[in-house]
Amino acid sequence: MNRRKSLSREGAPKRLAKGGSSKQMKEEIPVLKGKTKKELEELCVSLGLEKYRAAQIYTGIYKSRYTNLDQFTTLSKEAREKLKQHTSFPEIELGRDLASKEDGTRKFTFYVGENKEIEAVWIPSGDGGRKTICISSQIGCTLNCKFCATGLLEYKGNLHTWQILDQILQVERLVGDRATNIVFMGMGEPMHNYFSVMKAAHILRDQEGFGLGALRITISTAGVTTGINRFIENKEPFNFAISLNHPNPNSRSSIMDVNDKHPLDKLVESAKRFTKELDRAITFEYVMIPDVNMGRDNAERLAKISRSVNKCKINVIPLNTDFTGWRRPTDDEVKDFVMHLKAKTTAPILNRRSPGRDINGACGMLALKGIRSETR
Ligand code: SAH
């Protein structure tokens, strides 16, 4: 723990951009990527193009996955020229591409501007059935959870919808495959970039967009209750996860600053409201840290919270990072914790595997550079 304290944000290594600024778009030039069909319609009309062109542009971006405007051959040449003149069709810039030697995981670093790095991870399941991309929603994170490497980075802002979606477009192109599932569990707090995240999720879900079902998309929060409540009020159709990580208010505050502003009791209230009003299960994520949150009393309190929420699942995740001075639990410690939990709750408990640890691509490791041996 003491070691973690000495790692201030200022002390985090500076990242070097590999160019990037030339790809930064001036605000006044509309970016085609990231727009909804309605927004494209408005854009077409403002450019003097027929409204129905919007559907062709929309399909070209998200379904046909065109990478430059010349590929949009359903449009007239004049329309293409107009779009070239008055809009932009940018890409985030690929930096590192690391492949795990232990499993099929690949971690990609992208630049979204000078000194602005984000990461996305390709995670195929062992049997090849499920292929997940874990994407970032912000450049760094303001939350500073004590166990998470992203908290060590300087926060550099929200991602635009197009930068969120471009992670998926590029990762799929680089691995030569399509994802079956998307999780907003990379860098950042999705509820702090609510509007851009939800817009991206709706384009991902849309049959004429990426065509993924809503339940193949999971949005995760460290517990920003205002965002959860908005998600409920908007009746969003996506899977939702809360990173609970400690069942006692004071101890939760000591490892997650977010608990000061959005206290545990309010968080549990929001979770109850979610299951009641949306009639779906909510997922609690629980990073297991020995001597911090793995005691029998912790398991029993977590079970009590799960019983109070109508429908929920619990994902337990062994701590992946070691920069904190904390250690990863042994298999026996995990087994014990899960046993105490199971004794007191009927909620399904998933013991989440942590693929990509060797390339710092597992939960909580995004922002740690390169392969593990380099970072130790
Ligand atoms: N800010 C959002 C989105 C990030 S999700 C959120 O917190 O939910 C990242 C997930 O990885 C969270 O469930 C978090 O609790 C978990 N995590 C963070 N650091 C970890 C670590 N060192 N080991 C294992 N899991 C970790």
Side-chain angles (χ1 to χ4, degrees):
M1 263 238 253
N2 294 338
R3 253 182 72 206
R4 171 62 181 77
K5 276 189 192 140
S6 66
L7 284 169
S8 68
R9 278 165 189 267
E10 289 75 33
K14 287 266 179 291
R15 315 282 168 199
L16 289 175
K18 214 184 107 188
S21 57
S22 63
K23 299 235 166 176
Q24 265 179 316
M25 289 302 120
K26 287 201 189 101
E27 247 174 56
E28 60 269 25
I29 301 176
V31 177
L32 289 179
K33 207 178 276 178
K35 290 219 180 320
T36 60
K37 181 124 32 87
K38 191 159 171 286
E39 287 171 334
L40 287 172
E41 280 174 0
E42 285 161 10
L43 181 68
C44 284
V45 170
S46 76
L47 293 176
L49 298 173
E50 301 92 334
K51 208 171 170 183
Y52 73 86
R53 295 289 184 199
Q56 297 172 329
I57 301 170
Y58 191 81
T59 311
I61 303 170
Y62 307 122
K63 236 183 185 161
S64 311
R65 309 288 175 95
Y66 295 147
T67 54
N68 73 69
L69 284 168
D70 290 321
Q71 292 171 300
F72 288 72
T73 49
T74 47
L75 301 175
S76 63
K77 196 158 183 294
E78 290 73 26
R80 285 203 299 271
E81 285 311 313
K82 210 166 225 180
L83 289 175
K84 275 187 205 172
Q85 261 178 23
H86 299 287
T87 69
S88 68
F89 196 51
E91 288 194 339
I92 54 175
E93 188 181 338
L94 177 66
R96 288 184 299 277
D97 168 358
L98 288 171
S100 168
K101 292 201 171 66
E102 291 167 5
D103 50 60
T105 307
R106 271 169 81 175
K107 179 169 94 161
F108 300 94
T109 308
F110 294 102
Y111 300 95
V112 293
E114 203 156 345
N115 284 318
K116 290 182 176 172
E117 286 187 17
I118 56 161
E119 291 182 331
V121 190
W122 169 259
I123 313 161
S125 64
D127 60 10
R130 181 188 279 242
K131 299 160 205 169
T132 305
I133 302 178
C134 174
I135 54 174
S136 295
S137 57
Q138 296 186 304
I139 311 153
C141 188
T142 58
L143 290 181
N144 192 28
C145 297
K146 301 289 183 285
F147 41 83
C148 178
T150 305
L152 299 172
L153 293 178
E154 189 185 339
Y155 171 71
K156 292 186 178 167
N158 278 331
L159 290 177
H160 298 293
T161 300
W162 76 264
Q163 294 168 324
I164 295 173
L165 293 175
D166 207 36
Q167 295 170 62
I168 302 163
L169 293 170
Q170 291 210 43
V171 168
E172 292 189 343
R173 208 157 65 226
L174 288 157
V175 301
D177 203 350
R178 291 276 169 107
T180 59
N181 295 69
I182 301 294
V183 295
F184 285 80
M185 294 187 182
M187 289 181 180
E189 168 50 48
M191 295 299 105
H192 283 169
N193 189 13
Y194 190 90
F195 184 71
S196 300
V197 163
M198 297 320 290
K199 200 159 98 173
H202 279 282
I203 294 172
L204 287 169
R205 172 211 191 190
D206 185 7
Q207 279 314 309
E208 292 169 56
F210 283 69
L212 289 163
L215 296 177
R216 291 184 173 273
I217 298 162
T218 302
I219 298 172
S220 181
T221 180
V224 178
T225 45
T226 42
I228 306 172
N229 293 339
R230 194 193 282 185
F231 187 100
I232 300 167
E233 278 145 29
N234 293 345
K235 300 206 176 332
E236 297 294 357
F238 311 106
N239 279 330
F240 200 74
I242 291 176
S243 302
L244 194 77
N245 296 341
H246 210 297
N248 302 335
N250 291 341
S251 309
R252 187 168 193 266
S253 277
S254 72
I255 58 170
M256 296 177 82
D257 291 355
V258 66
N259 198 68
D260 295 339
K261 193 157 178 208
H262 301 282
L264 186 61
D265 55 340
K266 293 272 183 309
L267 182 57
V268 174
E269 276 314 309
S270 291
K272 283 184 197 167
R273 192 177 157 207
F274 181 102
T275 59
K276 198 160 155 229
E277 293 185 26
L278 300 186
D279 196 25
R280 306 200 297 273
I282 198 162
T283 300
F284 288 120
E285 318 227 35
Y286 198 89
V287 182
M288 294 175 290
I289 315 174
D291 305 321
V292 173
N293 64 0
M294 292 188 73
R296 183 175 179 162
D297 54 326
N298 301 136
E300 290 179 352
R301 245 178 199 262
L302 174 59
K304 191 169 173 204
I305 291 175
S306 74
R307 289 197 308 272
S308 76
V309 175
N310 196 15
K311 288 180 190 165
C312 68
K313 303 177 201 167
I314 303 172
N315 273 357
V316 290
I317 319 160
L319 181 76
N320 283 317
T321 44
D322 49 16
F323 64 83
T324 49
W326 290 319
R327 67 176 172 84
R328 191 172 166 81
T330 63
D331 289 351
D332 281 346
E333 285 170 325
V334 170
K335 227 191 262 167
D336 252 28
F337 183 73
V338 171
M339 184 186 73
H340 292 311
L341 195 52
K342 274 192 175 151
K344 302 274 174 161
T345 184
T346 53
I349 298 162
L350 185 76
N351 196 343
R352 213 160 78 181
R353 50 191 204 107
S354 290
R357 290 188 73 228
D358 63 324
I359 51 168
N360 288 325
C363 297
M365 303 180 92
L366 300 191
L368 293 179
K369 261 194 176 166
I371 52 174
R372 277 176 74 70
S373 55
E374 281 176 7
T375 58
R376 276 195 173 137

